[in-house]
Amino acid sequence: MLLNEFVNELKKRLATTEINQVKADVLPFLNNSRELGIWSNDYFL
């Protein structure tokens, strides 16, 4: 897979990821849940 193809597929996946589920999955590993406040699909894109 070429780099451009990989990046395009990654962007598609990040744009459609259920970010609230990701936050819920990560939350038990954090000391400060406010760190997740910035997380959004746009943030990762």
Side-chain angles (χ1 to χ4, degrees):
M1 182 182 285
L2 298 173
L3 180 59
N4 287 341
E5 291 175 25
F6 173 77
V7 171
N8 288 336
E9 290 299 317
L10 182 59
K11 285 181 180 180
K12 284 184 206 175
R13 183 65 180 234
L14 289 172
T16 59
T17 298
E18 179 55 51
I19 200 69
N20 288 327
Q21 182 61 51
V22 174
K23 287 179 179 182
D25 291 345
V26 172
L27 189 59
F29 301 100
L30 299 177
N31 291 327
N32 183 356
S33 64
R34 293 186 317 179
E35 295 173 0
L36 296 177
I38 194 171
W39 283 24
S40 70
N41 294 76
D42 289 334
Y43 172 76
F44 287 103
L45 287 171

